[in-house]
Amino acid sequence: MELRIAGIVKESVVNGPGLRFVVFVQGCRHRCQGCHNPETWDPAGGVAVRAGDLLEQIKSVKLLKGVTFSGGEPFLQAGPLAWLAREARKLGLDVIIYTGYTWEGLLALARQEPAVEELIRVSDYIVDGPFILTERDPELPFRGSRNQRIIDVARSLREGTVIEAGFS
Ligand code: SF4
């Protein structure tokens, strides 16, 4: 199973709490003004990698708290990322996904695409919504603009409404 990525960072402390393995996926349709990673927009750019090879690299890093999928838009490659997230969770790692879709938009997409629903369900936290330049706030922990929410996925699905997570 392959996916296209823009790159990885094996040990990051700025893409969620704790030490994290970050996969920057390739391809994004949101085209946010002020996007920091416009080189990730082209779905044909980046490099193709096997999800299994990424898992082996994750296993090679000691003391990880979790993995983060960022972009680009992770939900455009939901199938292989859902597999990778599930395998990462078997290792005791948590999963954070940064998406340009809002939570409500993702749930609508999930009704049409089973892989999207699967990726939502195997994630612990989703940071949702596009980057909005006028809402930019460099003081915000782990996100770029004030419209973006850090969502506790399990609680939000259980309670049928957005429950924001407490990590900062
Ligand atoms: S969703 Fe992220 S990668 Fe895509 S355009 Fe917006 S800021 Fe850039």
Side-chain angles (χ1 to χ4, degrees):
M1 199 182 329
E2 283 197 343
L3 67 159
R4 293 198 80 82
I5 65 167
I8 60 169
V9 175
K10 288 187 172 182
E11 298 183 20
S12 167
V13 292
V14 295
N15 296 93
L19 191 66
R20 314 193 65 81
F21 188 104
V22 186
V23 179
F24 292 95
V25 303
Q26 184 69 29
C28 184
R29 299 181 187 136
H30 301 293
R31 298 179 169 268
C32 306
Q33 189 189 359
C35 169
H36 282 192
N37 301 317
E39 67 282 0
T40 66
W41 291 1
D42 179 1
V47 291
V49 291
R50 291 180 55 241
D53 290 341
L54 286 176
L55 180 63
E56 290 310 311
Q57 294 197 60
I58 290 169
K59 286 179 179 173
S60 75
V61 184
K62 305 291 178 215
L63 302 176
L64 284 176
K65 181 178 189 303
V67 298
T68 296
F69 302 151
S70 188
E73 173 50 65
F75 281 93
L76 291 181
Q77 302 188 72
L81 289 177
W83 178 86
L84 187 58
R86 208 177 314 109
E87 294 301 314
R89 287 178 65 139
K90 288 179 192 169
L91 300 173
L93 303 174
D94 63 30
V95 176
I96 297 177
I97 304 177
Y98 285 78
T99 177
Y101 292 104
T102 61
W103 174 254
E104 295 77 8
L106 269 186
L107 294 184
L109 198 59
R111 285 194 281 276
Q112 300 159 18
E113 296 188 30
V116 168
E117 180 177 9
E118 199 183 345
L119 183 55
I120 294 171
R121 288 188 181 281
V122 293
S123 61
D124 292 284
Y125 302 103
I126 288 177
V127 185
D128 84 326
F131 173 70
I132 297 179
L133 196 54
T134 53
E135 296 279 317
R136 178 177 175 270
D137 184 349
E139 302 295 315
L140 281 174
F142 306 127
R143 61 217 137 117
S145 56
R146 281 186 293 271
N147 60 297
Q148 294 168 323
R149 302 168 290 186
I150 301 172
I151 296 171
D152 182 326
V153 172
R155 286 190 63 202
S156 297
L157 290 175
R158 201 167 51 238
E159 299 184 25
T161 188
V162 169
I163 307 291
E164 294 192 49
F167 67 73
S168 59

